[in-house]
């Protein structure tokens, strides 16, 4: 039941993401509402047809109908994407084809959307060539830091995640953290994590430790190709785990409504000391469709943990009359190799005020 | 993949270069004031194809957010303070900006081809 709910939620997220991209990309194209609506209707109709004929399809060809259908859909997807790439390469340069190109992009995406109600094919695509399995990952790494510091702004933040995995030892593990921050200057924001808990299926809730984290904004907005910040934090763990420090650059670049954020973080154990540095990177991309709804995705790469994760995340901010902001982001990052959890559900809420 | 300290040096060097770079002599600069929840002036002329620093000074107590999809910028300006934002180099044209904390306030950056005409 939970698995079905997860698939439905993920597919709805994906549909919203794709529709937002289509709506954003086709701004200014005549009758785009009609085209997008037609795409949605086609998608719903296609999903309906597949749902109604699911059992008939499954019985076809001595019960290999379902795999054949999945293979067919994937094949169409590959052909569409290849055609799209070739078409773009051939026609993309001419400004006169710009509007046509937008229309084309839309057609190709709506074709994709029509397929998206078929979750098993999406899952198949994600799992192509991947080995199944699961392992633990440091949950507090599932965040992408922005390099900006706003002078005198204070912040209360909640971050939580829940793992879903084939392995019963990992599945159901949830972690959450509560922190407070205040920017004393326009370039330095210290943050104190008051509570870091992890709730594992067998062991129950445990305090993980405390963390003192600092974000430094090194460049002023827009001065260089990307805005640069620096993260430096000290993490004290109470559960017999070693203390560690983390540091590295935080990069952000905006192009119109598209926001890219990249973190390159090095981590080193200091008590007991280790001479090794573990590297990880986090990347997020979002489209600022509406302040309250900004679809995007996040990617986490931790070579030292052999963990690679990626998935859709929705971001948003809600404003109050006094200039305070409530920011949220929620989504799911899927494990794309054996040592990453199958899925990590994320929720972050922060209240920023002066 | 364990990474040794010497592999970090390039990263540290980049960070240092960036910090030193930001301390270098400033280029062209202009200013924009937020007063009584309005941008003054509502139209900011800047030279085309030039990177320019806009000092956004908020004279109200209420914080503001200088935001522009056209300029790819989103910067919170606390009450009674100033924040620098760089824009450009931009082709000639009009670029809309607004206060994301109060959408009643908006303005334009106009990139003018001849630098002497601003």
């Amino acid at each position: 039941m939970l698995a079905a709910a997860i698939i439905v939620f993920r597919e709805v997220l994906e549909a919203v993401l794709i529709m937002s991209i289509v709506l954003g990309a086709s701004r200014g194209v005549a009758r785009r509402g009609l085209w997008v609506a037609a795409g949605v209707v086609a998608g719903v109709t296609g999903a309906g047809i597949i749902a109604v004929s699911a059992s008939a399809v499954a019985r076809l060809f001595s019960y290999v109908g379902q795999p054949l259908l999945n293979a067919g859909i994937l094949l169409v997807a590959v052909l569409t994407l290849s055609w799209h790439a070739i078409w773009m390469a051939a026609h993309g340069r001419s400004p006169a084809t710009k509007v046509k190109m937008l229309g084309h992009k839309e057609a190709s995406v709506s074709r994709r959307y029509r397929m998206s109600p078929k979750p098993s094919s999406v899952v198949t695509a994600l799992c192509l060539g991947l080995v199944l399995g699961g392992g633990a990952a440091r949950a507090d790494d599932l965040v992408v830091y922005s390099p900006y510091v706003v002078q005198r702004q204070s912040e209360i933040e909640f971050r939580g995640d829940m793992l879903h995995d084939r392995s019963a030892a990992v599945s159901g593990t949830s972690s959450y953290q509560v922190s407070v921050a205040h920017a004393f200057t326009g370039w330095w924001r210290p943050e104190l994590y008051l509570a870091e808990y992890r709730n594992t299926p067998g062991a129950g809730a445990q305090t993980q430790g405390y963390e003192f984290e600092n974000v430094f904004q090194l460049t002023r907005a827009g001065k260089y190709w990307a805005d640069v910040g620096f993260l430096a934090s000290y993490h004290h763990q109470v559960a017999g785990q070693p203390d560690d420090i983390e540091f590295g650059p935080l990069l952000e670049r905006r192009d119109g409504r598209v926001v890219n954020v990249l973190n390159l973080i090095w981590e080193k154990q200091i008590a007991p000391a280790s001479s090794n540095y573990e590297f990880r990177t986090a990347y997020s991309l979002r489209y600022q469709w509406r302040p309250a709804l900004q679809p995007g995705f996040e990617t986490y790469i931790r070579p030292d943990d052999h963990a690679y994760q990626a998935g859709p995340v929705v971001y948003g901010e809600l404003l109050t009359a006094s200039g305070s902001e409530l920011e949220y982001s929620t989504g799911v990052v899927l494990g794309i190799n054996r040592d990453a959890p199958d899925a990590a559900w994320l929720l972050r809420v922060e209240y920023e005020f002066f | 993949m364990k990474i040794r300290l010497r592999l970090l040096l390039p990263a540290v060097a980049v960070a240092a270069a960036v910090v030193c770079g930001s301390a270098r002599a400033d280029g062209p600069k202009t200013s924009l004031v937020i007063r009584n929840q309005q941008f003054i002036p509502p139209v900011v002329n800047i030279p085309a194809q030039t990177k320019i620093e806009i000092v956004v000074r908020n004279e109200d107590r209420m914080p503001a957010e200088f935001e522009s999809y056209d300029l790819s910028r989103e910067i919170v300006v606390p009450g009674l303070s100033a924040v620098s934002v760089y824009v450009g180099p931009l082709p000639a044209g009009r670029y809309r900006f607004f206060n994301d904390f109060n959408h009643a306030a908006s303005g334009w950056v106009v990139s003018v081809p001849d630098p002497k005409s601003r």
Side-chain angles (χ1 to χ4, degrees):
Chain A
M1 183 60 214
L2 179 67
I6 286 171
I7 288 169
V8 168
F9 181 74
R10 191 168 60 198
E11 295 301 313
V12 169
L13 259 182
E14 187 184 315
V16 167
L17 188 69
I18 289 167
M19 282 170 67
S20 310
I21 292 169
V22 172
L23 285 168
S26 63
R27 278 187 348 137
V29 174
R31 292 195 300 279
R32 65 163 182 148
L34 209 64
W35 285 106
V36 173
V40 171
V41 169
V44 171
T45 311
I49 291 169
I50 289 174
V52 167
S53 55
S55 58
V57 167
R59 281 194 303 272
L60 281 176
F61 308 114
S62 316
Y63 296 92
V64 289
Q66 179 74 34
L68 282 175
L69 179 70
N70 288 350
I73 288 173
L74 279 174
L75 202 62
V76 173
V78 168
L79 288 174
T80 312
L81 286 170
S82 313
W83 174 57
H84 177 81
I86 293 164
W87 197 94
M88 289 289 280
H91 297 80
R93 288 206 193 91
S94 160
T97 60
K98 200 176 170 194
V99 172
K100 252 170 70 191
M101 201 166 84
L102 286 173
H104 166 78
K105 202 184 281 176
E106 192 175 77
S108 120
V109 172
S110 72
R111 218 163 268 126
R112 170 99 177 75
Y113 175 63
R114 197 154 62 230
M115 285 168 218
S116 71
K118 195 70 214 71
S120 56
S121 45
V122 177
V123 175
T124 310
L126 279 170
C127 296
L128 271 178
L130 303 178
V131 191
L132 306 178
R138 257 192 64 170
D140 53 342
D141 295 345
L142 295 173
V143 65
V144 188
Y145 297 96
S146 171
Y148 302 116
V149 175
V150 178
Q151 188 168 13
R152 301 203 310 272
Q153 192 177 55
S154 304
E155 179 188 301
I156 299 172
E157 185 183 8
F158 168 87
R159 291 208 310 252
D161 61 70
M162 193 166 89
L163 305 181
H164 180 77
D165 198 82
R166 254 157 273 252
S167 155
V170 174
S171 201
T173 299
S174 62
S175 316
Y176 67 91
Q177 313 175 318
V178 177
S179 63
V180 292
H182 180 76
F184 292 96
T185 72
W187 51 267
W188 176 45
R189 186 186 66 225
E191 183 162 357
L192 203 56
Y193 288 75
L194 303 173
E196 292 188 341
Y197 289 103
R198 176 171 295 177
N199 195 347
T200 42
Q206 286 181 316
T207 305
Q208 287 295 295
Y210 308 94
E211 190 166 353
F212 180 57
E213 187 180 273
N214 299 273
V215 171
F216 301 96
Q217 182 175 341
L218 299 181
T219 68
R220 281 174 286 180
K223 175 133 190 179
Y224 301 101
W225 185 82
D227 300 327
V228 184
F230 195 84
L231 176 86
S233 76
Y234 182 90
H235 188 207
H236 171 67
Q237 300 201 86
V238 294
Q241 298 289 317
D243 288 5
D244 54 61
I245 54 169
E246 285 184 347
F247 57 90
L250 317 173
L251 306 163
E252 182 158 335
R253 176 173 168 84
R254 288 166 182 252
D255 289 290
R257 288 171 183 255
V258 177
V259 182
N260 298 275
V261 189
L262 177 68
N263 296 171
L264 304 169
I265 309 287
W266 282 267
E267 184 184 317
K268 185 186 193 297
Q269 290 180 12
I270 54 163
S274 154
S275 60
N276 288 323
Y277 289 82
E278 292 194 352
F279 174 72
R280 72 170 196 270
T281 177
Y283 171 73
S284 93
L285 182 148
R286 69 178 195 269
Y287 179 80
Q288 297 182 297
W289 182 52
R290 294 279 186 275
L293 190 63
Q294 308 178 9
F297 68 87
E298 292 181 358
T299 304
Y300 297 95
I301 299 173
R302 295 194 309 278
D304 295 291
D305 295 338
H306 307 288
Y308 305 87
Q309 291 160 286
V313 176
V314 175
Y315 310 78
E317 53 192 35
L318 305 163
L319 296 164
T320 67
S322 58
S324 303
E325 279 184 286
L326 187 71
E327 292 189 358
Y328 78 89
S329 49
T330 183
V332 56
V333 288
L334 306 171
I336 48 180
N337 74 322
R338 56 179 301 174
D339 289 339
D342 287 350
W345 297 86
L346 311 175
L347 175 67
R348 308 177 199 114
V349 179
E350 51 192 283
Y351 182 63
E352 297 176 344
F353 59 99
F354 288 96
Chain B
M1 187 177 69
K2 305 289 178 189
I3 291 169
R4 296 277 168 189
L5 185 59
R6 63 190 166 81
L7 293 179
L8 290 172
L9 287 178
V12 173
V14 167
V18 160
V19 172
C20 295
S22 62
R24 270 202 319 253
D26 290 337
K29 195 188 268 196
T30 187
S31 68
L32 179 66
V33 172
I34 299 166
R35 188 185 295 147
N36 299 325
Q37 294 297 297
Q38 291 297 320
F39 285 108
I40 303 169
V43 175
V44 181
N45 289 323
I46 64 164
Q49 307 300 351
T50 308
K51 176 160 283 196
I52 187 162
E53 179 183 359
I54 301 177
V55 180
V56 185
R57 181 172 298 283
N58 185 1
E59 296 184 354
D60 293 340
R61 291 194 168 275
M62 162 108 172
E65 189 167 48
F66 175 88
E67 181 157 1
S68 170
Y69 299 128
D70 295 350
L71 297 165
S72 307
R73 297 289 176 268
E74 180 181 1
I75 301 299
V76 174
V77 189
L80 306 176
S81 65
V83 170
S84 275
V85 55
Y86 287 78
V87 301
L90 294 169
R94 288 163 65 80
Y95 301 85
R96 186 172 176 274
F97 62 82
F98 55 94
N99 178 359
D100 195 36
F101 290 174
N102 178 3
H103 284 239
S106 67
W108 298 86
V109 163
V110 177
S111 174
V112 183
D114 179 10
K116 291 187 177 66
S117 69
R118 77 188 163 107

